[in-house]
Amino acid sequence: MTDINTRQADHPIDPQFVARWSPRAFKDETIPEATLLSFFEAARWAPSAYNAQPWRFVFARRGTPHWEQFVGFLNEFNQSWAKHAAAIVLVISKSTLTPPGSDKEVPASTHSFDAGAAWGYLALQASLSGWATHGLAGIEHDKIRNELDLPSKYKIEAAIAIGRPGGDVNALPEGLRAREVPSPREPLARIASEGRFAF
Ligand SMILES: Cc1cc2nc3c(=O)[nH]c(=O)nc-3n(C[C@H](O)[C@H](O)[C@H](O)COP(=O)(O)O)c2cc1C
């Protein structure tokens, strides 16, 4: 995974941050449940407002009875390659919380932000363990909500395809082969400014 990764950080950081990227070509390997649970374990330790831990993960592994249903939760484009992944994870967040000392449920203003932190932790742990994650916005929200009988206070954030990286790039749909490389980033000056909004 790292040998084709030519990304350079402009400031000193741990190499794990540039080593993680989102391939679409996965090896044919299935993922043991214990391995997947270790990724959720990393996500579990993410910070959240009031420590409300609004993230929820619903998953299916290839080779298990729920697999085809979960592939069907993705849009056509994502199905074309993610059907070869080892796991599909739905990231869901609870949009309400009960503040400490209160017994009243109130809207949570940062449930998506917090779920995003948890997904980041999950992605980094997977990468450190030799697996790849690929975030998916292209999913069928209504289908997921109906088939999983999701209560309205739970928001569907995104899905994640997880697989063993290093699969055959030529097995991908033709239009995706050239895109199978780690992507660059905006310079830091375009995303961070001191004291004023400079963008
Ligand atoms: C929330 C989220 C949704 C994404 N949705 C899709 C998607 O539907 N299909 C896809 O092929 N890639 C999707 N991506 C992958 C991004 O395009 C990719 O993460 C981005 O280009 C940065 O590349 P890197 O992850 O390799 O560093 C998504 C990523 C995230 C975080």
Side-chain angles (χ1 to χ4, degrees):
M1 197 161 166
T2 42
D3 54 344
I4 61 159
N5 193 336
T6 54
R7 293 159 146 183
Q8 293 281 340
D10 292 341
H11 296 265
I13 53 172
D14 190 284
Q16 66 168 318
F17 294 104
V18 287
R20 184 220 58 80
W21 68 288
S22 306
R24 295 187 180 86
F26 300 120
K27 290 186 175 155
D28 193 32
E29 206 174 316
T30 54
I31 191 165
E33 187 183 23
T35 304
L36 198 51
L37 293 184
S38 76
F39 305 162
F40 298 134
E41 180 66 32
R44 183 178 164 228
W45 292 99
S48 59
Y50 292 108
N51 198 18
Q53 304 161 58
W55 43 76
R56 303 288 183 271
F57 304 102
V58 186
F59 65 92
R61 293 177 298 132
R62 185 160 48 81
T64 69
H66 293 295
W67 180 247
E68 292 306 327
Q69 181 190 21
F70 275 57
V71 171
F73 288 159
L74 311 183
N75 70 15
E76 216 174 300
F77 167 75
N78 285 328
Q79 282 191 27
S80 72
W81 58 271
K83 65 184 176 197
H84 301 296
I88 292 170
V89 179
L90 300 171
V91 183
I92 292 162
S93 70
K94 188 179 177 197
S95 66
T96 60
L97 59 78
T98 308
S102 167
D103 55 6
K104 218 176 128 221
E105 208 166 63
V106 296
S109 62
T110 60
H111 60 98
S112 292
F113 182 83
D114 297 341
W119 132 251
Y121 278 31
L122 185 159
L124 285 173
Q125 181 58 54
S127 172
L128 289 169
S129 303
W131 291 83
T133 57
H134 198 126
L136 301 170
I139 56 176
E140 304 293 340
H141 285 251
D142 292 345
K143 192 170 185 190
I144 294 168
R145 188 166 293 282
N146 290 337
E147 292 188 20
L148 295 184
D149 205 12
L150 215 59
S152 60
K153 70 170 111 172
Y154 287 89
K155 182 185 174 199
I156 301 163
E157 300 287 353
I160 311 166
I162 301 178
R164 189 70 96 177
D168 181 7
V169 175
N170 292 318
L172 285 174
E174 202 178 332
L176 289 178
R177 291 174 203 163
R179 290 165 61 182
E180 194 66 357
V181 284
S183 55
R185 288 297 187 271
E186 297 285 353
L188 210 49
R190 293 278 300 272
I191 62 164
S193 68
E194 185 167 7
R196 68 190 180 93
F197 188 76
F199 313 108

